[in-house]
Amino acid sequence: MAGGKVLVVGGTGMIGGLASQMLARRGSSVALAGRDGHLLAERSRLLGHCPYRSFDAYDLEGCASLAPWAAEALEGLNAVVVAIGVAGFGRAEEVDEAAAEHLMTVNALAPMAVVRGALPVLEPASVVAVVTGVIVDKPMRGMADYTAAKAALAAWLGVVEREQRSRGIRIVDVRMPHLGGGFVDRAVIGSAPKMPTGADPTQAVEQHLIASIMASAVQAQG
Ligand SMILES: NC(=O)c1ccc[n+]([C@@H]2O[C@H](COP(=O)([O-])OP(=O)(O)OC[C@H]3O[C@@H](n4cnc5c(N)ncnc54)[C@H](OP(=O)(O)O)[C@@H]3O)[C@@H](O)[C@H]2O)c1
């Protein structure tokens, strides 16, 4: 990724924060997007005052405008990492419609809008990596809405991957395992059942996200 120009959406989160540091360390120029303006400014400072932009998942046009903004700020764009999401717990009948809408918007519609907005501005041989989760393959009781949102995103990415292959753009669905770091404690509704200890975040981001991006970048470059 030396010389890469990367937008990290969810740069204020645990996974997005780790990914942006790792990519910057490998020589990429990074632009950050996240919701929390103060945290964004702080993380930008840690990355040598890289460009940053605040957005909210409910503003889908704003989500779609992130990659065009980053392409201008970085003078090109050849990778996008999307690591936004929120958990939600409770049996289906316990989840109110506002929470259901929130889970679908943040976990599916917003990442889709980010990728949709990125496709026209990505350079040839680019990589788009979107974090979904192992829940796509192993749905859990008490997480129907979260599972449905991640599964919808995964299905959408699968089709986009096939559509973009001929352009040389690789779309990667990163099915991250459960990590330590408190994601499940920031749920929009309900509380997490007792769960096994999560994997080490730094190791998992290296192994599942950064390694996939590197491998896909090599494939994209032929
Ligand atoms: N951690 C895990 O165990 C795990 C496992 C599998 C999959 N994943 C997936 O990985 C992704 C990132 O997880 P994480 O552990 O890094 O979580 P995190 O630390 O809680 O970060 C979540 C990110 O999503 C952003 N976000 C949440 N709601 C938003 C909204 N309404 N508008 C815009 N941005 C919003 C947050 O922005 P602000 O902080 O700026 O508000 C933050 O950047 C999620 O999609 C999650 O489902 C996580």
Side-chain angles (χ1 to χ4, degrees), residues 12-15 35-36 57 84 131-132 146 150 177 179 183 186:
T12 46
M14 182 182 72
I15 293 174
R35 182 174 48 169
D36 181 333
I84 60 170
V131 181
T132 60
Y146 176 78
K150 291 294 187 194
L179 310 180
F183 174 71
R186 294 188 279 280

Side-chain angles (χ1 to χ4, degrees), residues 9-18 33-37 39-40 43 54-59 63 82-87 102 105-107 110-111 130-135 146 150 153 174-184 186 195 198-199 201 205:
V9 181
T12 46
M14 182 182 72
I15 293 174
L18 286 167
R35 182 174 48 169
D36 181 333
L39 195 49
L40 265 178
R43 294 209 169 165
S54 180
F55 77 103
D56 192 283
Y58 269 85
D59 173 12
C63 294
V82 186
I84 60 170
V86 65
H102 191 99
T105 303
V106 179
N107 292 297
V130 183
V131 181
T132 60
V134 289
I135 198 142
Y146 176 78
K150 291 294 187 194
L153 177 59
V174 182
R175 300 200 180 168
M176 195 66 86
H178 166 55
L179 310 180
F183 174 71
V184 293
R186 294 188 279 280
M195 293 177 100
V205 171

Side-chain angles (χ1 to χ4, degrees), residues 45-128:
R45 193 183 60 74
L46 293 173
L47 294 178
H49 298 280
C50 71
Y52 63 92
R53 186 165 176 150
S54 180
F55 77 103
D56 192 283
Y58 269 85
D59 173 12
L60 296 176
E61 296 294 341
C63 294
S65 72
L66 292 174
W69 158 77
E72 206 174 312
L74 298 175
E75 299 179 346
L77 190 68
N78 52 24
V80 177
V81 175
V82 186
I84 60 170
V86 65
F89 297 97
R91 290 166 56 91
E93 68 271 30
E94 294 162 358
V95 174
D96 60 51
E97 295 306 333
E101 181 187 4
H102 191 99
L103 288 164
M104 197 53 86
T105 303
V106 179
N107 292 297
L109 294 177
M112 286 155 60
V114 171
V115 176
R116 205 190 308 280
L119 295 173
V121 298
L122 283 166
E123 293 168 8
S126 291
V127 179
V128 175

Side-chain angles (χ1 to χ4, degrees), residues 136-222:
V136 172
D137 304 305
K138 290 185 185 162
M140 273 177 63
R141 274 179 291 180
M143 295 190 79
D145 290 84
Y146 176 78
T147 304
K150 291 294 187 194
L153 177 59
W156 188 86
L157 290 170
V159 176
V160 177
E161 197 275 324
R162 286 164 52 206
E163 290 173 354
Q164 297 298 315
R165 216 179 285 162
S166 58
R167 269 182 79 196
I169 294 185
R170 313 296 299 197
I171 309 284
V172 191
D173 169 358
V174 182
R175 300 200 180 168
M176 195 66 86
H178 166 55
L179 310 180
F183 174 71
V184 293
D185 303 323
R186 294 188 279 280
V188 64
I189 187 168
S191 45
K194 196 165 164 40
M195 293 177 100
T197 307
D200 174 68
T202 303
Q203 222 175 341
V205 171
E206 270 287 356
Q207 186 186 338
H208 296 279
L209 179 55
I210 303 297
S212 308
I213 294 172
M214 307 291 278
S216 300
V218 170
Q219 286 169 357
Q221 281 152 19

